[in-house]
Amino acid sequence: RTQESLTLVLFLHSMHGKLEGDNNLFFESDTPLRLLLDEDEDRCPQSLRERCILLAPQCPTDRERGDGAGIWLRKGWYEESDYDHQAEAALMALVEMIRVQYDVRRVSLCGSSMGAYGALELASRRANYFSAVALIAAHYDLDPIEPLVTRLTEKQEVPLW
């Protein structure tokens, strides 16, 4: 490790990118984990591998759904769900544990599909915590969307891609 501070990248996977019996998350082509495992320098520069910590937790299952799946930071199905403050607290405790242990000064957030929904919600509720947020095929199925936009823009300026 160099004197330069590491960046922590929190990646929230899609509904279909969760770990299963065959650990398919590690073999999906569109995940940061797969990118980091790729030895092609054009796809993932060595400098990125050396200067960031990738944290890719598993979305907790929601027993109320009955299908063995879950939605990042929600209980129930999208349209009939409630925000899960306990899931947010647990996720942020994990991030803080890694951040403190490795003296991380910047935390970036990335999500794919359902994970992008979680990234939007988390960034909107943790003003000025994340240094950047990258969304891949964001799935946001809750109306109205205005409260989310307000939380993302009124109290913070975070780069969103």
Side-chain angles (χ1 to χ4, degrees):
R1 186 172 129 171
T2 64
Q3 295 290 349
E4 192 174 323
S5 178
L6 297 171
T7 296
L8 174 62
V9 177
L10 172 61
F11 174 73
L12 304 179
H13 64 79
S14 68
M15 175 96 46
H16 304 290
K18 65 181 181 160
L19 284 172
E20 294 177 332
D22 63 355
N23 289 332
N24 69 350
L25 178 66
F26 297 102
F27 298 104
E28 293 291 326
S29 63
D30 63 345
T31 67
L33 293 173
R34 185 70 203 150
L35 182 65
L36 290 172
L37 290 173
D38 193 339
E39 294 181 12
D40 183 356
E41 283 284 325
D42 291 335
R43 287 180 40 106
C44 185
Q46 188 67 28
S47 60
L48 179 61
R49 293 182 194 150
E50 294 173 355
R51 294 186 186 142
C52 86
I53 298 169
L54 178 65
L55 178 60
Q58 172 86 26
C59 179
T61 57
D62 181 354
R63 293 179 188 169
E64 295 173 20
R65 287 174 52 107
D67 64 353
I71 299 173
W72 284 109
L73 308 175
R74 308 278 321 164
K75 287 285 188 190
W77 295 89
Y78 276 106
E79 298 84 9
E80 301 162 2
S81 64
D82 295 310
Y83 192 78
D84 189 346
H85 295 279
Q86 289 179 324
E88 177 188 339
L91 185 58
M92 291 308 295
L94 177 62
V95 169
E96 277 300 299
M97 181 182 73
I98 300 298
R99 192 185 66 74
V100 169
Q101 182 174 351
Y102 292 97
D103 191 29
V104 170
R105 294 191 182 101
R106 287 183 307 194
V107 180
S108 296
L109 180 56
C110 181
S112 175
S113 190
M114 170 191 71
Y117 155 79
L120 279 169
E121 280 290 341
L122 199 55
S124 76
R125 294 168 186 272
R126 298 287 175 148
N128 299 309
Y129 185 88
F130 298 100
S131 59
V133 179
L135 310 170
I136 303 160
H139 178 89
Y140 196 88
D141 203 13
L142 300 175
D143 284 327
I145 196 167
E146 288 76 16
L148 172 74
V149 172
T150 300
R151 289 192 313 267
L152 281 169
T153 58
E154 278 191 352
K155 297 180 181 178
Q156 66 179 329
E157 290 184 23
V158 62
L160 284 166
W161 287 278

